Amino acid sequence: DRLRTSPRVRSAALTAAVPQSAIQPGNAPVTLERGTTDAAGTLSADPNVVSDQYFETLEVPLLSGRDFTAGDGPGSTPVAIINRSMAAFWEGSDPIGQRFSVPSSIIGNAARAPAGPEAVFTVVGVAEDFRLYSVDQEIAAQFYLPLRQFPGNGTRILPKTTADPFSIVPAMEEAV
């Protein structure tokens, strides 16, 4: 929050995966609450952990639902924002309010790993697809978990400035 209040910062977010960096998508098996699967019998999506303002900072529109909030913290219902490609898993139905699960081991390195073999999330938002990975890589189905619920996974700062990006380095150092 300290960085966000800097006069030359329009928005800032934390993430586990910086767009267009040398990273590869993950592949988490996904089960929809209603049991829908694709022809192969399973669905899969790329998991990411991000803070609120992630989509705003990257100028990725939320197509429906909401962004993460301070209320999406420890002790609250586990939530997720999905991209448009993952929303297609619900075959034309509105995914907002729907639930899906992934093996807890997928997010087991988080400080607040869910108890039990499956972690269940309620969809609160749908974001537009964007190329998180290489520009020549297909856009994968993706889901985003709130950093407040899974601290320790969002370790990279994404600032959006109104000035020369190097001018906010002192504010970034102070925030860290």
Side-chain angles (χ1 to χ4, degrees), residues 68-101:
F68 297 131
T69 68
D72 297 322
S76 64
T77 300
V79 296
I81 295 173
I82 62 174
N83 70 348
R84 184 167 36 133
S85 290
M86 186 165 170
F89 291 177
W90 280 270
E91 301 172 346
S93 296
D94 184 2
I96 301 297
Q98 300 293 327
R99 294 168 20 125
F100 69 93
S101 63

Side-chain angles (χ1 to χ4, degrees), residues 16 82 103 113 136 153 157:
I82 62 174
D136 56 347
N153 285 324
I157 301 172

Side-chain angles (χ1 to χ4, degrees), residues 74 149 172:
Q149 288 183 343
M172 289 179 64

Side-chain angles (χ1 to χ4, degrees), residues 2 13-14 39 45 47 74 86 98 104 129 131 136 143 156-157 162 176:
R2 185 178 288 170
L14 296 173
M86 186 165 170
Q98 300 293 327
S104 291
D129 286 344
R131 294 200 183 276
D136 56 347
F143 64 94
R156 291 148 184 101
I157 301 172
T162 59
V176 170

